[in-house]
Amino acid sequence: NILNNKPLPIYGKGDNIRDWLWVEDHASAIDKIFSEGRFGEAYNVGGLNEWTNIELVRFLCRLMDEKLGRKPGESEKLITYVKDRAGHDKRYAIDATKLENELGWKPSITFE
């Protein structure tokens, strides 16, 4: 949408929080648990990379303005707030402390 100057819909105020995890990091965590984890034990895999929806969209807008040679703030003008979904979860996040403490795993990348 940013590339094509189309609206960027944001539910509610955009303050819902999400923990983002690169798919290859998720795969490496599963491999680590499979090869080194204790049998029968449960491990949570998280990205340690929590962002509100609006923070992430603004970050992407800044990156795209720079990449596309637009004036700073130009892409943010595309942000459009829409009615929030009923029952929309405020936060999706996982505490992956156990995985890091016991197996030494943590994500290799974040957005920044």
Side-chain angles (χ1 to χ4, degrees):
N1 284 11
I2 293 173
L3 283 173
N4 297 311
N5 285 308
K6 291 184 177 181
L8 302 171
I10 302 291
Y11 284 118
K13 297 176 186 174
D15 57 356
N16 300 69
I17 300 168
R18 302 293 179 256
D19 183 15
W20 296 89
L21 176 65
W22 186 40
V23 68
E24 290 188 25
D25 278 340
H26 191 249
S28 76
I30 292 170
D31 183 58
K32 185 80 153 176
I33 293 165
F34 182 76
S35 61
E36 298 177 29
R38 288 182 286 137
F39 183 78
E41 199 64 33
Y43 297 90
N44 293 326
V45 179
L48 306 174
N49 191 31
E50 292 185 28
W51 292 65
T52 64
N53 290 341
I54 192 64
E55 286 172 335
L56 178 56
V57 170
R58 286 182 176 144
F59 175 73
L60 294 172
C61 285
R62 285 192 301 275
L63 287 177
M64 293 306 292
D65 281 348
E66 186 176 314
K67 183 177 178 93
L68 298 171
R70 293 182 182 163
K71 293 185 296 184
E74 194 65 27
S75 295
E76 277 195 41
K77 295 176 185 175
L78 300 171
I79 294 172
T80 306
Y81 294 93
V82 298
K83 183 179 179 186
D84 207 350
R85 297 180 294 143
H88 197 179
D89 290 332
K90 181 74 174 155
R91 181 173 181 252
Y92 294 148
I94 295 290
D95 180 358
T97 305
K98 178 179 173 182
L99 180 58
E100 184 175 358
N101 291 343
E102 290 189 17
L103 302 182
W105 181 90
K106 62 183 179 180
S108 66
I109 64 169
T110 63
F111 286 139
E112 297 179 300

